[in-house]
Structure formats: C-alpha cells, structure tokens
Amino acid sequence: MRLKYVLNEVLVGLWRNVTMTIAMIITMSISLFMLGASVLLYMQVDQMKNYYYGKIEVSVFLRPDVTDAQRQAIDQAISSNPLVAGKTYETQKEAYDRFQQLWSDQPDFVKSVGANSLPESFRVKLKDPQKYKDFSAQIQGQQGILDVIDQRTLLDKVFNIFNGFQFGALGVAAFMAVAALLLVGNTIQVAAYSKRREVAVMKLVGASNWFIQAPFVLEAVVAGVIGSVIGFVVLFVGKVVLLDHKLQALATILTPVHNGNVWLMLPLLAGVGAVVSAVTAWITLRFYLKV
C-alpha cells in the first residue's frame, strides 16, 4: 500500500508541474548527451593513439645531391642501428606517385608540385617510438641527410585538437549540469511547497522522513532517467547518421566508433542522471522541509 501511494504521488507530482518537469528533462538530456559525447571522444582518442602510435615511422629525408656512397652509408647506418625494427626506401618517383594518390582530388595542387620536388627517403620503424631522439642523434651525423622527422610530433598536434574538443564537450556538459541541478532543486522545492499541508500532516501523524521524502526523490530520479534515455538516443542516432553515413569518408583517418562503446553510455548516463537527481532532491528537501 505504501509503495502504491509513493508511486502514485510520483506520477501526480510529475504531472502537476509538467512544464518544469519537461524543462528539467530537456536540460538533463542535453547535459547527459554532452557528457556521453565527451566520454566517447575520450575513449576514441585513446583508441586512435594506440592505433596510430603503433604505426609511427621516422622519415629520413635525403639531400637532392646525395651520392650513391652516402646513400649506402646511410642505409648501412640505419640497418645496423639496434633501435631500428625495420626500414623501407622510397625513391623520388615513388614519393611523387604516393603524393599524387593522396591528393588525387586536388589536381591543381598536384600540378603545382614537380616530380623532383619530393626528396627520396628512408621510412624507419623503431622498436620503441619513444627512442626517436636517440635515433635522430645517432643518424644525424651521416652526410647526405636533409632532415629527420618523427611522425609523433605531427600526430601530437592532431590529438591536441581532439583533446580540445574533448575538454570543450566536458565544459558544456558541466555548464548544462549546473543548470539541470538548479532546475531539479527548483522543481522539487515547488512540488514540496504545493504539498506543504500534506507534509505537515504526515509529520504530525509520525510518518518517517524516508516516507515523506521518497515521492519527491523518486520524481527527480524518474525525470533524470528519462533525460538520460533521451540523451542516449540522440547520441546513438548522431553516431549512426553522422559517423556511419554523412562522415563515412573520415573512416580512413578516424578509427571506427564501435556500437558496443556507444551502448556502454546508456547505463553510465542513466546512473549519473538518477544519482545526481536523487542527491540534489534529497539535499533540497533537507533544507526546505527540515525533516
């Protein structure tokens, strides 16, 4: 009987303040959507780092006037270096062919680059990519080398951009979370005020604090869970529509976002929405009802 009464009061409370409830749900859904997006982005950046850092190569570019003797000496120095796991040699023609393939959709740009503009190079795979500086210091003394470039420095710049998006999403989520908490507290306070006489009567007849607070707390929890479900649906649909279809061309750059990772967001968002709503409602009631 008590459970039925509590559930009935939850439904009545949600309907009594329907406009504020809808506003609370919408704000909560936006906040949790941004939270889920930032968590997914964090997981994706880590996955991309593991993928791309495992493929990092060091490019040893040769001077245009390099001699055969110098080229052979550089080749021997790379092959005998204990830090090297493997290497490939790329001629000027091979470099230009690869450049044409990469920029095939920009014919004017390709025409502006001559066949002899790209230097020949050695692509070196290190056993430990962290040892780039040691390898560079050992190989730089060889004559005929134009430059030694580590792909890690280029990837770090790219991942710094992704990290910026990640922190931006977290910032928006935190801002919206504050708005959601204020709405939860305000909604619960209005609901408690509208039932102040019933609360006073229940306190007089000896009703427990839990029994008085339960309908209000559950009201906030229901709104939080509904908001989390809406936020998850928007997140999942956005992933399918944007990443799987509209932005599918980025699949050659971005590692795929697995549906399993997206589904992990549902219990996470539901748990965060329920717990945050419940705690906010409980604290509000402690101050307002003085129970």
Side-chain angles (χ1 to χ4, degrees):
M1 185 65 182
R2 287 189 174 185
L3 180 60
K4 183 179 179 180
Y5 167 79
V6 170
L7 294 178
N8 182 68
E9 288 298 306
V10 169
L11 296 176
V12 171
L14 290 172
W15 180 253
R16 181 186 294 117
N17 305 303
V18 62
T19 54
M20 295 189 66
T21 299
I22 293 175
M24 180 171 62
I25 290 174
I26 292 175
T27 308
M28 186 70 73
S29 64
I30 295 174
S31 175
L32 292 174
F33 163 75
M34 295 303 300
L35 174 63
S38 61
V39 172
L40 266 182
L41 182 59
Y42 182 85
M43 296 170 62
Q44 198 63 20
V45 169
D46 277 352
Q47 179 179 312
M48 290 174 63
K49 284 181 178 179
N50 292 334
Y51 177 77
Y52 283 110
Y53 282 160
K55 294 178 175 289
I56 281 178
E57 292 179 338
V58 177
S59 298
V60 181
F61 294 105
L62 307 185
R63 297 175 58 86
D65 58 350
V66 64
T67 65
D68 291 338
Q70 290 173 342
R71 186 183 299 105
Q72 291 176 4
I74 295 171
D75 189 359
Q76 179 62 30
I78 294 174
S79 299
S80 61
N81 193 299
L83 301 176
V84 174
K87 67 174 176 60
T88 57
Y89 172 69
E90 186 177 67
T91 65
Q92 282 188 312
K93 183 180 183 308
E94 291 172 341
Y96 186 69
D97 291 341
R98 187 162 63 90
F99 169 77
Q100 288 179 311
Q101 291 178 355
L102 289 174
W103 297 96
S104 58
D105 57 342
Q106 301 287 339
D108 293 335
F109 178 57
V110 173
K111 290 179 182 178
S112 67
V113 178
N116 296 325
S117 300
L118 302 177
E120 55 185 304
S121 63
F122 287 97
R123 307 287 178 172
V124 181
K125 179 79 172 178
L126 298 181
K127 296 177 182 178
D128 182 2
Q130 302 284 351
K131 298 291 184 63
Y132 157 72
K133 291 184 177 179
D134 294 339
F135 171 77
S136 179
Q138 295 171 14
I139 203 71
Q140 284 281 13
Q142 295 291 328
Q143 294 183 343
I145 291 180
L146 177 64
D147 199 3
V148 181
I149 296 178
D150 181 21
Q151 292 179 351
R152 174 181 289 270
T153 58
L154 302 177
L155 288 177
D156 284 342
K157 295 179 181 179
V158 175
F159 286 125
N160 285 338
I161 296 175
F162 283 113
N163 290 334
F165 284 121
Q166 178 186 8
F167 288 121
L170 280 174
V172 174
F175 179 79
M176 295 303 299
V178 173
L181 293 180
L182 293 175
L183 270 174
V184 170
N186 194 38
T187 302
I188 296 302
Q189 187 173 341
V190 170
Y193 180 79
S194 65
K195 296 179 61 178
R196 61 191 183 280
R197 290 191 178 89
E198 297 177 34
V199 170
V201 171
M202 285 190 289
K203 291 173 66 175
L204 287 174
V205 298
S208 65
N209 292 343
W210 177 88
F211 186 74
I212 296 174
Q213 291 175 323
F216 301 106
V217 174
L218 287 178
E219 182 180 333
V221 169
V222 170
V225 172
I226 293 175
S228 67
V229 172
I230 295 175
F232 169 77
V233 170
V234 174
L235 185 66
F236 192 88
V237 171
K239 182 264 180 185
V240 173
V241 173
L242 292 178
L243 296 182
D244 294 349
H245 293 88
K246 299 293 184 180
L247 302 178
Q248 193 174 15
L250 294 178
T252 56
I253 301 174
L254 304 176
T255 54
V257 180
H258 301 292
N259 286 336
N261 290 343
V262 182
W263 279 106
L264 284 176
M265 296 301 104
L266 180 57
L268 172 65
L269 299 185
V272 171
V275 171
V276 169
S277 298
V279 171
T280 304
W282 182 79
I283 293 175
T284 301
L285 291 170
R286 295 293 297 180
F287 281 101
Y288 184 77
L289 298 180
K290 300 289 193 294
V291 296

